[in-house]
């Protein structure tokens, strides 16, 4: 009888150990699955990824969106002389409704949001197995590139970012802008693409490369090194921006006074 009781207890202990072992194995498998999932959440944000999206975007502009692109890029930025004069009397009782509507209207972007959405849909259809988080990250990254190109293209509008000069300005540009057509749009897109890639090279959101964080470096050293790299890249970008915007600071025609 005692032997029978010992065998029953031994069987129960073996069963508990087996269950415990299975539970630990299941937990290990779940942890490994989570680690594998997190490994795939990141996306490429290097110059190669930026160039890849630009290639897709520019191809879409040259084919599907060509007519709309040429129409928008040949439209001067800002209000016309008539719209500007009407906007000055936005609070006039007789013209308040039409003036306010005109003053609050937004400038038509050269590249519409519909173009961005169409490209994103094509990219998702081409890779339907990609997880939801990675897709959302790519949407954000691609939108940043899309907006950057859109911003640069504004400088190729007639009269650039300044807009069409008003007749009452002191200095009026006498040279008429050359329209952008299907024949000469390629150099414009190449210059815009080069500018976007130039911005991407600053890497102001730099998080470091695995090769730079070798094992003999301490955690504090890595953090200080990374902070220094970010500061240097940001300073370089701000210096270039100040140099590019220098002419605008001395453009006295842009100053306005309310009376």
């Amino acid at each position: 009888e005692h032997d029978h009781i010992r065998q029953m207890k031994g069987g129960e202990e073996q069963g508990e150990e087996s269950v415990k072992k299975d539970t630990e194995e299941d937990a290990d498998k779940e942890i490994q699955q989570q680690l594998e999932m997190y490994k795939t959440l990141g996306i490429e944000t290097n110059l190669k990824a930026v160039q890849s999206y630009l290639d897709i975007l520019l191809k879409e502009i040259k084919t599907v969106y060509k007519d709309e692109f040429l129409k928008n890029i040949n439209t001067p930025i800002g209000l016309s002389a008539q719209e500007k004069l009407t906007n000055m009397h936005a609070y006039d009782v007789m013209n308040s409704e039409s003036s306010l509507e005109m003053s609050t209207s937004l400038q038509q972007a050269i590249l519409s949001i519909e173009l961005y959405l169409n490209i994103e849909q094509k990219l998702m259809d081409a890779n339907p197995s990609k997880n939801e988080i990675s897709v959302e990250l790519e949407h954000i990254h691609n939108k940043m590139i899309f907006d950057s190109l859109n911003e640069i293209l504004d400088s190729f509008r007639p009269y650039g970012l300044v807009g069409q000069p008003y007749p009452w300005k002191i200095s009026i540009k006498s040279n008429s802008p050359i329209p952008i057509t299907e024949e000469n749009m390629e150099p414009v897109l190449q210059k815009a693409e080069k500018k976007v890639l130039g911005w991407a090279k600053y890497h102001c959101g730099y998080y470091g490369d695995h090769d730079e964080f070798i094992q003999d470096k301490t955690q504090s050293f890595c953090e200080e090194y990374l902070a220094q790299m970010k500061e240097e890249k940001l300073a370089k970008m701000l210096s270039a921006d100040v140099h590019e915007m220098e002419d605008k600071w001395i453009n006295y025609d842009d100053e306005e006074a309310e009376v």
Side-chain angles (χ1 to χ4, degrees), residues 234-249:
L234 180 61
K236 185 177 180 181
M237 184 199 71
L238 292 176
S239 177
D241 184 67
V242 169
H243 179 72
E244 290 180 4
M245 301 297 292
E246 184 178 5
D247 293 339
K248 192 173 182 179
W249 294 354

Side-chain angles (χ1 to χ4, degrees), residues 216-233:
D216 60 347
K217 292 181 179 179
T218 63
Q219 181 67 23
S220 60
F221 177 85
C222 293
E223 291 178 355
E224 292 175 2
Y225 174 75
L226 182 57
Q228 179 183 354
M229 291 291 294
K230 287 184 177 181
E231 185 176 349
E232 290 177 356
K233 293 174 182 295

Side-chain angles (χ1 to χ4, degrees), residues 195-211:
K195 187 68 175 178
V196 173
L197 293 174
W199 283 351
K201 288 180 181 178
Y202 288 116
H203 290 144
C204 292
Y206 181 72
Y207 275 96
D209 194 343
H210 293 294
D211 296 336

Side-chain angles (χ1 to χ4, degrees), residues 104-115:
T104 56
S105 61
L106 297 176
Q107 178 74 35
Q108 173 65 44
I110 294 177
L111 305 179
S112 68
I113 190 66
E114 286 77 14
L115 173 62

